[in-house]
């Protein structure tokens, strides 16, 4: 295997770059497209693609003869999520909160301009009405229009937050999406002040949620947790008043287990 320098493998780097080229907005890519992106010949790119397909990391779509990510990539993703210490610490706390409230409780981390769900706990009680967004562990959503994402953006440094938002188009997703950058930044200031973010139908019609930060030993927000409810059950003010303290206490308990010490 040829290395680009004494410490790295060029072949491995190219293979990972190919896998990273597949996005939710473009799940199918052809060899020619990948070759242009990598700056390699079509024949060289085809060898990498064929190897990744043989190993199960890519699979070909017969009608188009283009490729998509294969099941081995999903296995890696779930293995990474399941190996996260913070997730293991959090699960009993999240399940307890879900059971106490009767609502789904989620945990997510920030990845670029997106959030990635790393845990979802549903109540063992008779469920409240929920909105089916087809979310699961590993799902990604734009950070700017979710309560989880707003918490995670708010606890970045201003420079880091600005850099993330530079690559984001604030498009309308729900009735109340914040589509002006100054409005979003003002909202993030409020999130830092109150330690709680709200989503009042900003992602989808009918969806309301509140979120709080989970801090690591450094004090940074390592993750965020939220609780969601359908608009038919309560106003956003009622959601904050009824469940905000419990959510923040759960986040504080997880943060303490993760090594965060206030002051």
């Amino acid at each position: 295997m040829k290395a680009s320098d004494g410490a790295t493998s060029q072949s491995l780097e190219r293979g990972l770059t190919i896998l990273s080229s597949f996005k939710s907005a473009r799940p199918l890519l052809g060899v020619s497209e990948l070759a242009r992106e990598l700056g390699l010949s079509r024949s060289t790119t085809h060898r990498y693609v064929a190897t990744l397909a043989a190993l199960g990391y890519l699979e070909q779509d017969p009608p188009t003869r283009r490729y998509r990510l294969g099941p081995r990539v999903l296995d890696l993703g779930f293995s990474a999520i399941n190996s996260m210490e913070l997730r293991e610490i959090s699960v009993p706390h999240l399940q307890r909160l879900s059971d106490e409230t009767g609502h789904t409780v989620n945990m997510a981390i920030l990845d670029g301009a997106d959030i990635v769900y790393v845990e979802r706990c549903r109540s063992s009680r008779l469920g409240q009405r929920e909105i089916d967004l087809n979310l699961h562990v590993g799902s990604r959503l734009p950070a700017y229009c979710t309560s989880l994402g707003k918490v995670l953006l708010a606890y970045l440094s201003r420079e880091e937050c600005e850099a993330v938002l530079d690559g984001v188009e604030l498009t309308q997703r729900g009735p109340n999406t914040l589509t002006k950058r100054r409005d979003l930044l003002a909202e993030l200031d409020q999130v830092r002040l109150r330690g709680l973010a709200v989503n009042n139908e900003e992602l989808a019609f009918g969806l309301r949620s509140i979120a709080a930060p989970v801090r690591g030993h450094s004090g940074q927000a390592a993750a965020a947790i939220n609780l969601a409810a359908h608009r038919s059950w309560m106003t956003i003010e009622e959601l904050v008043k009824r469940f905000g303290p419990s959510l923040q206490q759960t986040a504080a308990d997880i943060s303490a287990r993760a090594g965060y010490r206030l002051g």
Side-chain angles (χ1 to χ4, degrees), residues 76-146:
L76 281 178
F78 280 117
S79 294
I81 289 170
N82 287 328
S83 69
M84 292 172 62
E85 182 181 4
L86 183 60
R87 177 179 177 271
E88 294 175 3
I89 291 170
S90 304
V91 169
H93 299 274
L94 301 180
Q95 190 61 60
R96 187 180 307 116
L97 180 62
S98 180
D99 289 339
E100 289 173 354
T101 62
H103 292 276
T104 298
V105 177
N106 305 291
M107 171 177 271
I109 58 173
L110 189 66
D111 182 24
D114 293 338
I115 58 166
V116 179
Y117 283 77
V118 297
E119 187 56 63
R120 280 173 61 78
C121 292
R122 289 183 168 85
S123 173
S124 58
R125 292 162 44 184
L126 289 176
Q128 306 276 18
R129 179 181 176 187
E130 294 182 357
I131 297 176
D132 183 14
L133 296 178
N134 194 30
L135 295 175
H136 50 79
V137 172
S139 290
R140 303 174 73 94
L141 288 173
Y144 74 92
C145 57
T146 63

Side-chain angles (χ1 to χ4, degrees), residues 4-262:
S4 56
D5 58 38
T8 62
S9 164
Q10 186 181 63
S11 294
L12 179 59
E13 181 181 357
R14 287 174 174 175
L16 292 174
T17 300
I18 288 173
L19 295 179
S20 299
S21 298
F22 292 84
K23 309 291 184 184
S24 57
R26 49 171 196 170
L28 290 172
L29 292 172
V31 173
S32 297
E33 294 169 274
L34 290 166
R36 286 195 297 271
E37 289 199 12
L38 270 67
L40 299 174
S41 69
R42 193 180 186 284
S43 59
T44 298
T45 303
H46 186 269
R47 286 201 302 274
Y48 285 112
V49 168
T51 300
L52 290 167
L55 294 172
Y57 292 102
L58 293 177
E59 59 183 18
Q60 193 172 46
D61 178 57
T64 64
R65 300 190 61 80
R66 301 166 87 191
Y67 289 84
R68 63 166 61 91
L69 293 177
R72 289 294 300 277
V73 173
L74 188 62
D75 291 342
L76 281 178
F78 280 117
S79 294
I81 289 170
N82 287 328
S83 69
M84 292 172 62
E85 182 181 4
L86 183 60
R87 177 179 177 271
E88 294 175 3
I89 291 170
S90 304
V91 169
H93 299 274
L94 301 180
Q95 190 61 60
R96 187 180 307 116
L97 180 62
S98 180
D99 289 339
E100 289 173 354
T101 62
H103 292 276
T104 298
V105 177
N106 305 291
M107 171 177 271
I109 58 173
L110 189 66
D111 182 24
D114 293 338
I115 58 166
V116 179
Y117 283 77
V118 297
E119 187 56 63
R120 280 173 61 78
C121 292
R122 289 183 168 85
S123 173
S124 58
R125 292 162 44 184
L126 289 176
Q128 306 276 18
R129 179 181 176 187
E130 294 182 357
I131 297 176
D132 183 14
L133 296 178
N134 194 30
L135 295 175
H136 50 79
V137 172
S139 290
R140 303 174 73 94
L141 288 173
Y144 74 92
C145 57
T146 63
S147 60
L148 290 162
K150 285 198 281 186
V151 163
L152 294 167
L153 290 174
Y155 283 84
L156 295 176
S157 70
R158 188 64 173 226
E159 293 74 19
E160 290 174 315
C161 183
E162 293 276 10
V164 169
L165 294 179
D166 282 343
V168 176
E169 183 180 354
L170 304 180
T171 57
Q172 192 85 29
R173 297 287 297 254
N176 301 321
T177 309
L178 299 177
T179 57
K180 294 182 179 178
R181 183 161 171 161
R182 66 175 179 271
D183 293 338
L184 177 60
L185 290 172
E187 174 71 10
L188 297 181
D189 289 339
Q190 291 302 308
V191 171
R192 282 190 294 275
L193 286 174
R194 62 182 178 240
L196 193 75
V198 300
N199 172 6
N200 187 17
E201 300 185 88
E202 295 167 50
L203 175 66
F205 177 81
L207 176 64
R208 289 174 172 151
S209 65
I210 53 176
V214 172
R215 302 196 190 197
H217 63 85
S218 67
Q220 295 292 322
I225 62 172
N226 86 341
L227 183 150
H230 192 271
R231 71 191 296 264
S232 62
W233 281 92
M234 62 189 73
T235 66
I236 192 67
E237 292 80 13
E238 290 169 335
L239 184 61
V240 170
K241 182 178 180 179
R242 185 172 175 182
F243 297 125
S246 298
L247 182 72
Q248 289 179 299
Q249 185 60 57
T250 299
D253 292 344
I254 297 170
S255 298
R257 288 289 310 279
Y260 175 65
R261 295 293 180 268
L262 184 62

